[in-house]
């Protein structure tokens, strides 16, 4: 469910290991460094903001230059940008390609067919979602059978549909194979090359690369975990991750503390059903010990939009009275000044609820009742 993005330059380094052609380039942390790299690579070069959001080109974060002096000048401007709220701390300086056509090539998981899908389009460079909306016939897909794996005929089918020049077929198949292999081996949820350029010299080059990794696979990839950029992470999402809590900030007013991802989703739905909006998704997992509840509560309350908090806890292996004691200990420590509604069900729920009402929490027995109460007090 949670995902980790890596930077373009990191994604390109990774894809290069799978035989995908990427332009030579290096990362600069200052305009002076950008100039040195441009001189070393030879101009023209492209200077590109390294931030974890898309649409950098439109925001002025991708610029072609023809001299090392211009590289320094342009890098200075790019370093002063905030792209969709992200300050630019590093730029990639790469050899510029002379582009004849921009294609799209991406791999992701298709939930309907439960297969890996390879997607291509002759309309690359722009958002693929835009192409999908405007000209869906320009998007070609092939599905990879998990037992058979990738075969070149799939790439041929795709190439045919996007009218790729036949001379590029062999390289296109190599790139497709590499993309699929990379996707599987790093436990990605998305690997995307946009644009995959056909150069004026008639070669294929990956000019931009995006990789999203599945957090749940990261324990198998210590080397990739190390690529996580702490500068780019929301501080509360980081705190949550370090405490093994799944937390996603949203824009509503009702903080949610729930055990279990499915129950969290259901809780958010019911809040909406009664006219409220959740401020976050938060799964505290099993156990719900006081220290973990306290960390979770602090994270929820760090969001100034939060006007009330809903606890929705199912006491299965952990007994409800134990959970209640955890919550009370956490309240003692955090001392929140917004109303709190708790729905506790499961083993020893009556004892748990009694403890919480003594601590002046609003309690409820059903999720509907809890949602109604929390929406009410959040007004
Ligand atoms: P994005 O806007 O964040 O997706 O950044 P991209 O890396 O995709 O760059 C945006 C656009 O800049 C691309 O679609 C290309 O049109 C252009 N671009 C990027 N690199 C090069 C290059 O080496 N040569 C040329 N001519 N254009 C480039
Ligand atoms: Mn792009």
């Amino acid at each position: 469910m949670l995902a980790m993005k890596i930077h373009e330059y990191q994604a390109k380094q990774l894809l290069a290991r799978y035989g995908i052609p990427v332009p030579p380039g290096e990362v600069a942390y200052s305009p002076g460094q950008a100039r040195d790299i441009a001189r070393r690579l030879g101009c023209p070069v492209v200077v590109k903001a390294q931030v974890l959001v898309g649409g950098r080109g439109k925001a002025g974060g991708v610029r072609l230059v023809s001299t090392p002096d211009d590289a320094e000048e342009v890098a200075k401007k790019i370093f002063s940008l905030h792209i969709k709220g992200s300050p630019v701390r590093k730029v990639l300086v790469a050899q510029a390609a002379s582009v004849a056509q921009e294609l799209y090539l991406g791999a992701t998981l298709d939930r309907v067919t439960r297969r890996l899908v390879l997607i291509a389009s002759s309309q690359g460079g722009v958002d693929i979602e835009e192409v999908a909306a405007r000209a869906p016939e320009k998007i070609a897909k092939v599905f990879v059978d998990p037992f058979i794996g990738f075969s070149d005929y799939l790439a041929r089918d795709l190439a045919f549909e996007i009218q790729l020049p036949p001379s590029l077929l062999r390289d296109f198949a190599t790139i497709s194979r590499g993309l699929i292999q990379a996707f599987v081996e790093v436990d990605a949820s998305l690997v995307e090359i946009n644009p995959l350029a056909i150069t004026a010299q008639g070669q294929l080059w990956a000019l931009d690369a995006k990789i999203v990794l599945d957090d749940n696979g990261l324990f198998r990839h210590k080397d990739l975990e190390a690529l996580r950029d702490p500068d780019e992470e929301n501080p509360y999402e980081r705190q949550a991750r370090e405490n093994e809590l799944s937390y996603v900030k949203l824009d509503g007013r009702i903080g949610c503390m729930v055990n279990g991802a499915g129950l969290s989703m259901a809780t958010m739905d019911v809040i909406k059903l009664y006219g409220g909006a959740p401020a976050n998704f938060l799964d505290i997992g099993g156990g719900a010990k006081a220290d973990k509840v306290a960390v979770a509560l602090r994270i929820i309350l760090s969001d100034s939009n939060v006007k009330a908090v809903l606890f929705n806890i199912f006491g299965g292996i952990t007994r409800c009275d134990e959970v209640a004691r955890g919550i009370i200990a956490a309240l003692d420590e955090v001392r929140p000044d917004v109303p709190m509604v708790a729905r506790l069900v499961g083993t020893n729920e009556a004892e748990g609820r009694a403890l919480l009402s003594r601590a002046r929490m609003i309690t409820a027995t059903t999720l509907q009742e809890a949602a109604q109460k929390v929406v009410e007090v959040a007004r």
Side-chain angles (χ1 to χ4, degrees):
M1 141 113 218
L2 293 179
M4 176 184 135
K5 290 182 189 167
I6 60 176
H7 285 293
E8 174 195 1
Y9 73 94
Q10 298 167 326
K12 280 178 165 167
Q13 282 167 6
L14 205 146
L15 292 182
R17 295 210 291 272
Y18 290 88
I20 294 174
V22 300
E26 286 174 53
V27 175
Y29 297 85
S30 70
Q33 278 180 347
R35 176 204 187 91
D36 293 343
I37 296 168
R39 188 180 297 130
R40 232 182 351 257
L41 292 174
C43 283
V45 293
V46 58
V47 184
K48 313 182 72 176
Q50 296 300 289
V51 286
L52 297 178
V53 293
R56 297 164 304 162
K58 276 186 208 153
V62 177
R63 306 265 303 266
L64 271 164
V65 297
S66 46
T67 69
D69 281 348
D70 288 351
E72 179 169 4
E73 196 64 27
V74 157
K76 206 177 191 171
K77 291 204 181 101
I78 293 178
F79 276 119
S80 71
L81 295 175
H82 279 72
I83 302 178
K84 294 181 187 160
S86 295
V88 180
R89 295 188 174 89
K90 43 191 173 264
V91 297
L92 171 65
V93 182
Q95 246 171 40
S98 165
V99 178
Q101 195 192 342
E102 298 187 317
L103 311 173
Y104 172 95
L105 186 66
T108 189
L109 208 61
D110 181 66
R111 285 164 190 270
V112 177
T113 57
R114 292 188 282 180
R115 287 180 182 192
L116 225 153
V117 58
L118 192 62
I119 304 166
S121 175
S122 57
Q123 313 281 79
V126 291
D127 259 356
I128 197 66
E129 289 81 2
E130 240 171 71
V131 182
R134 184 167 39 79
E137 74 284 356
K138 294 280 204 264
I139 292 183
K141 293 179 184 175
V142 292
F143 298 91
V144 182
D145 185 304
F147 295 109
I148 299 171
F150 181 80
S151 305
D152 283 355
Y153 77 87
L154 292 172
R156 272 201 301 280
D157 285 354
L158 267 189
F160 178 76
E161 283 198 55
I162 65 168
Q163 297 172 331
L164 189 83
S167 58
L168 294 174
L169 194 56
R170 187 192 287 267
D171 289 343
F172 186 75
T174 305
I175 293 169
S176 301
R177 176 178 293 279
L179 200 73
I180 297 284
Q181 203 185 343
F183 181 96
V184 172
E185 285 183 12
V186 305
D187 291 315
S189 55
L190 176 73
V191 178
E192 198 176 70
I193 303 175
N194 189 23
L196 174 64
I198 304 178
T199 66
Q201 295 76 27
Q203 289 177 316
L204 287 171
W205 284 95
L207 294 193
D208 187 14
K210 177 176 177 182
I211 296 183
V212 182
L213 300 165
D214 183 339
D215 265 14
N216 293 313
L218 276 176
F219 75 97
R220 307 204 279 203
H221 308 285
K222 293 293 173 231
D223 52 329
L224 296 174
E225 172 73 47
L227 298 182
R228 197 188 285 278
D229 188 342
D231 287 345
E232 301 279 342
E233 208 177 9
N234 169 313
Y236 296 109
E237 289 183 351
R238 173 165 69 236
Q239 247 185 56
R241 183 172 50 74
E242 286 166 358
N243 287 281
E244 290 173 356
L245 304 162
S246 303
Y247 170 80
V248 180
K249 191 184 152 2
L250 303 166
D251 343 298
R253 296 150 63 94
I254 298 171
C256 303
M257 176 152 4
V258 188
N259 62 343
L263 192 58
S264 299
M265 299 299 279
T267 305
M268 295 179 355
D269 282 346
V270 178
I271 288 173
K272 284 193 173 170
L273 185 66
Y274 287 101
N280 64 277
F281 167 95
L282 195 153
D283 170 14
I284 55 170
K289 292 278 179 326
D291 53 343
K292 217 167 171 183
V293 176
V295 173
L297 195 56
R298 249 185 263 116
I299 292 171
I300 290 174
L301 295 171
S302 67
D303 174 356
S304 59
N305 289 337
V306 170
K307 298 293 179 270
V309 179
L310 173 59
F311 291 76
N312 187 15
I313 306 288
F314 176 77
I317 295 167
T318 323
R319 300 188 327 259
C320 287
D321 53 328
E322 213 175 289
V323 175
R325 278 190 201 93
I327 294 174
I328 291 166
L331 293 181
D332 271 349
E333 198 193 315
V334 183
R335 301 200 168 280
D337 52 8
V338 296
M340 310 257 155
V341 178
R343 173 203 178 226
L344 273 182
V345 286
T347 317
N348 290 359
E349 59 180 69
E351 291 89 329
R353 267 201 299 278
L355 283 167
L356 290 183
S357 356
R358 244 175 282 145
R360 271 193 244 122
M361 277 183 93
I362 304 163
T363 61
T365 44
T366 67
L367 180 50
Q368 287 88 330
E369 184 193 345
Q372 270 170 317
K373 283 181 171 170
V374 78
V375 168
E376 178 91 31
V377 295
R379 285 227 167 86

